[in-house]
Amino acid sequence: MSWAAVAVAVVSAAYTGYTQHEDSKYQEKQAEADAKAVSAQGRLEAERIRKEKEKQQSAARAAAAENGLDVNEGTAVVINDQIEKDGQYDAAMAEITGYNASQRLNGEASVHKNNAQSALIGGALGAASSGASTYGSRGGWK
């Protein structure tokens, strides 16, 4: 095997490790960005739900008053409380769903980070192995 072939094998192994490292680093950063975005989306959805809840409560109070009911007692209060409870539950679920999805994506980012480190080590070991195996097959350096 010629020295050029040895050099190509060593450089090829190192380059493969480097490109795998860079790809994994990109995937890590993308997963982190996705995690932030999905968490923010959950918070925004929760806020939208809370605003909608307030509109529903206002409409329910207006309907009760229109029908001659006292909005501060009885059925009107029960309806208002139920709308409040349901709205807060839905908002909390939206936030939790966003948070859980972000945690899954953060886990993926961690895996990609580990893959990036492994790729660098693997590339270096592959390059060393290519050089060493060629050295051994040629009977040592001459």
Side-chain angles (χ1 to χ4, degrees), residues 78-97:
V78 171
I79 291 170
N80 187 65
D81 289 350
Q82 189 63 46
I83 292 170
E84 178 73 25
K85 179 180 154 191
D86 293 346
Q88 291 298 344
Y89 175 81
D90 290 347
M93 291 308 296
E95 287 178 335
I96 290 168
T97 299

Side-chain angles (χ1 to χ4, degrees), residues 11 15 27 29-30 44 46 56 68 72 77 88 115 121:
V11 169
Y15 181 73
Q27 290 174 340
K29 293 201 181 317
Q30 185 62 52
L44 287 173
Q56 288 176 352
N72 295 317
V77 172
Q88 291 298 344
N115 288 347
I121 293 168

Side-chain angles (χ1 to χ4, degrees), residues 19 21-22 28 35 45 60-61 63 65 69 71 76-77 85 99 107 116 121 124-126 133:
T19 56
H21 170 264
E22 290 299 306
E28 173 192 6
E45 177 64 10
R61 281 191 299 272
L69 298 173
V71 295
V77 172
K85 179 180 154 191
Y99 176 79
I121 293 168
L125 291 175
S133 67

Side-chain angles (χ1 to χ4, degrees), residues 8-53:
V8 168
V10 169
V11 169
S12 176
Y15 181 73
T16 298
Y18 175 76
T19 56
Q20 288 173 345
H21 170 264
E22 290 299 306
D23 184 50
S24 291
K25 290 300 284 181
Y26 170 79
Q27 290 174 340
E28 173 192 6
K29 293 201 181 317
Q30 185 62 52
E32 288 171 346
D34 290 346
K36 289 177 184 175
V38 78
S39 183
Q41 182 182 6
R43 288 189 306 270
L44 287 173
E45 177 64 10
E47 185 59 31
R48 185 198 64 75
I49 290 168
R50 287 184 185 104
K51 286 180 181 178
E52 185 62 32
K53 170 197 62 92

